[in-house]
Amino acid sequence: MYPQFPPGFRFGMSTSAYQIEGAADAGGKGPSIWDTFTARPGAVRHGQDARVASDHYHRYASDVDLIAEAGVHDYRFSFSWPRVLAGDLDFYDRLVDRLLASGVRPVPTLYHWDLPQELEDAGGWMNRDTAHRLADHASALVLRLGDRVRDWITMNEMNVHTLYGYALADHAPARGLGLGALPAAHHQLLAHGLAVQVLRTHGAGSIGVAQQHFPVTAASDDPADVEAAAIFSALTNWTFSDPILLGDYPDELIRAGVGVPEAQLDRDLELIRARLDFYGVNYYEPTMIEAPKAGKDYSGVLEVDIPADMPFSPVPVKSDERTDFGWAVVPAGLTDILVTLRDRYPDLPPVIITENGASFHDSPPGPDGRVHDERRISYLDAHLRAVSDAITAGVRVDGYYVWSAIDNFEWAAGYDERFGLIYVDFSTLERTKKDSWFWYRDLIAAQPRN
Ligand code: FCB
């Protein structure tokens, strides 16, 4: 029996430009910060890069066919900002047309981490002007595609981009600024606000944002651990959602840390809190935090290590099951974060789960031509049931998108981590539907429709 969802619930699949497109220099496209980062020895596992990635730029038509055949309603992808800057909008024109002709609704994200290197050279997200450049990017796209694209997502996971790329140095642009990275958070939020304004002005039908959220629990009820967990959650969850959904930062210190004069900040927050039509939640795993204990080694707990001088330390989440990426499998964390968001934000718009999925190191197709990925099926099944539990608890959730449609370049982890419903042989670029693709197709077909 498949989990059941209300009539009209939207099923989809997600990807991002840098992770799948390849075609690194096509049409005069310049480098993004990820092209620079991947070229640095030791930055990415096995020294891999995304110059070819899944070669989706050249194979988009057959990829869209594979996506559409599963019966999904929506396909979430992102625009490569450097490609758009180079004026190569034809690719997205063709992609959108192909999706629409196949009966799939395009749900593009304006920005999914691939900042043009030329903007990074001018200060990147630490420079306020980058927010205005994102608004120009939004404008170019809505003018070109707004006659066919109804649903838009502004930014992807501003928190992960800020934490991994600006506070730490594990992702591009590898700045390692610690708490000094807060201006990068504010400028992305401002970019979001400006983009909403541009999209609305041009008549966009439905606008949202994709945010990674996770429950943060304290390792014990010791007040020091509880306090450490609250600080971590404020920095990684609420700093990015309170401005959008409440119009302010969660804490005076964070408000001061973004480095914008008070009067200007109030004007920025007015923009940032613009009404949204949906709120995208990306969910992978919860986090457990304790107050740092002197002499204890915390390395290797999260995918990235938090510096020892921070007032919080991650400890392993208790879970019997982990993905091959080492991420804890905790479906109840998804119900938990959805209920928490609903309780924290009285005006929470309808939620769409804009990403959820798991990396398993799938074997290539066997003699039967199939890729057997039962663990991914059980992961997706359990998380869809967790969404259904949140709906029962009164949270309005309108859709669910699997990360990812297709195996791709998993940032600093390269190609070992496979999240796709479609298997890619990275030496031949041949595609094979995994068993999870067939399962997802059947689950969608088994839903009541209105
Ligand atoms: C999210 C990213 C997405 C993908 C998944 C696994 O944090 O938004 O691009 O890498 O993780």
Side-chain angles (χ1 to χ4, degrees):
M1 190 51 187
Y2 295 106
Q4 298 282 305
F5 291 85
F9 190 85
R10 304 191 67 81
F11 289 93
M13 298 181 191
S14 282
T15 60
S16 88
Y18 189 74
Q19 294 177 273
I20 64 168
E21 284 180 5
D25 319 304
K29 174 189 162 292
S32 80
I33 53 176
W34 274 94
D35 293 301
T36 309
F37 182 77
T38 55
R40 258 182 33 193
V44 177
R45 247 190 244 169
H46 314 305
Q48 289 165 336
D49 63 43
R51 295 192 56 77
V52 175
S54 315
D55 197 34
H56 173 73
Y57 184 84
H58 297 112
R59 294 163 197 255
Y60 77 92
S62 47
D63 284 345
V64 168
D65 293 348
L66 292 170
I67 290 163
E69 279 169 37
V72 293
H73 311 105
D74 297 349
Y75 172 56
R76 174 180 176 233
F77 61 96
S78 78
F79 300 112
S80 154
W81 193 349
R83 202 180 296 293
V84 172
L85 264 193
D88 185 5
L89 283 159
D90 291 358
F91 170 65
Y92 297 110
D93 242 344
R94 293 193 296 270
L95 174 63
V96 161
D97 287 345
R98 183 89 183 189
L99 286 163
L100 291 171
S102 314
V104 178
R105 193 188 277 182
V107 184
T109 305
L110 295 174
Y111 180 71
H112 195 129
W113 301 357
D114 50 351
L115 188 72
Q117 182 59 43
E118 61 183 87
L119 294 186
E120 174 63 18
D121 294 341
W125 286 111
M126 292 297 285
N127 179 356
R128 185 180 175 90
D129 186 54
T130 301
H132 294 281
R133 301 299 300 272
L134 190 279
D136 297 341
H137 174 64
S139 166
L141 287 159
V142 72
L143 285 171
R144 178 70 176 256
L145 301 170
D147 57 336
R148 284 154 291 152
V149 172
R150 172 185 173 277
D151 304 69
W152 298 81
I153 294 175
T154 54
M155 309 283 286
N156 179 71
E157 296 192 356
M158 294 178 271
N159 61 346
V160 176
H161 197 34
T162 305
L163 178 67
Y164 288 21
Y166 286 82
L168 307 173
D170 300 78
H171 276 187
R175 295 281 200 101
L177 300 170
L179 291 174
L182 280 168
H186 183 71
H187 296 146
Q188 288 178 79
L189 285 159
L190 178 61
H192 160 79
L194 290 166
V196 173
Q197 197 176 45
V198 167
L199 293 169
R200 286 260 181 256
T201 308
H202 291 92
S206 177
I207 306 173
V209 60
Q211 306 249 59
Q212 185 172 136
H213 279 296
F214 36 83
V216 178
T217 41
S220 80
D221 48 20
D222 178 332
D225 289 344
V226 173
E227 170 72 4
I231 297 172
F232 186 77
S233 200
L235 276 170
T236 55
N237 279 305
W238 319 132
T239 291
F240 297 86
S241 48
D242 282 8
I244 292 177
L245 297 170
L246 297 175
D248 205 354
Y249 282 103
D251 179 289
E252 279 308 311
L253 286 177
I254 293 172
R255 199 180 145 97
V258 303
V260 177
E262 280 295 312
Q264 178 72 60
L265 187 56
D266 288 337
R267 284 198 298 276
D268 289 356
L269 287 163
E270 241 353 273
L271 265 173
I272 294 167
R273 73 184 307 179
R275 179 184 66 79
L276 293 180
D277 302 287
F278 65 95
Y279 189 76
V281 173
N282 297 357
Y283 172 75
Y284 291 95
E285 61 169 349
T287 306
M288 189 174 271
I289 293 290
E290 68 180 21
K293 312 272 179 287
K296 183 168 166 185
D297 179 12
Y298 291 100
S299 52
V301 175
L302 290 186
E303 199 191 319
V304 293
D305 288 337
I306 306 282
D309 59 349
M310 289 291 141
F312 37 73
S313 296
V315 294
V317 171
K318 295 172 191 85
S319 162
D320 301 337
E321 216 188 324
R322 291 188 179 269
T323 69
D324 287 347
F325 207 163
W327 296 0
V329 178
V330 188
L334 178 50
T335 317
D336 181 352
I337 195 67
L338 290 172
V339 169
T340 302
L341 287 168
R342 191 269 319 269
D343 292 347
R344 188 174 180 96
Y345 303 119
D347 298 325
L348 181 69
V351 169
I352 292 181
I353 307 302
T354 33
E355 285 183 26
N356 174 241
S359 166
F360 293 107
H361 300 171
D362 308 304
S363 307
D368 61 354
R370 303 285 294 251
V371 175
H372 299 297
D373 60 340
E374 296 76 19
R375 288 194 295 162
R376 182 171 293 100
I377 293 173
S378 80
Y379 179 99
L380 297 175
D381 180 86
H383 285 76
L384 276 160
R385 287 176 200 279
V387 173
S388 170
D389 289 347
I391 295 174
T392 306
V395 185
R396 177 154 167 208
V397 186
D398 286 1
Y400 174 93
Y401 304 164
V402 174
W403 182 273
S404 174
I406 182 167
D407 286 344
N408 59 52
F409 178 76
E410 177 49 32
W411 309 114
Y415 296 98
D416 287 349
E417 305 304 340
R418 295 178 175 271
F419 281 88
L421 296 173
I422 298 163
Y423 184 90
V424 177
D425 176 331
F426 287 104
S427 54
T428 62
L429 296 166
E430 199 181 319
R431 276 77 164 135
T432 307
K433 295 165 183 163
K434 300 183 191 176
D435 285 357
S436 55
W437 181 98
F438 291 96
W439 173 85
Y440 198 46
R441 178 196 64 185
D442 294 348
L443 169 124
I444 296 168
Q447 299 300 313
R449 298 296 302 167
N450 50 10

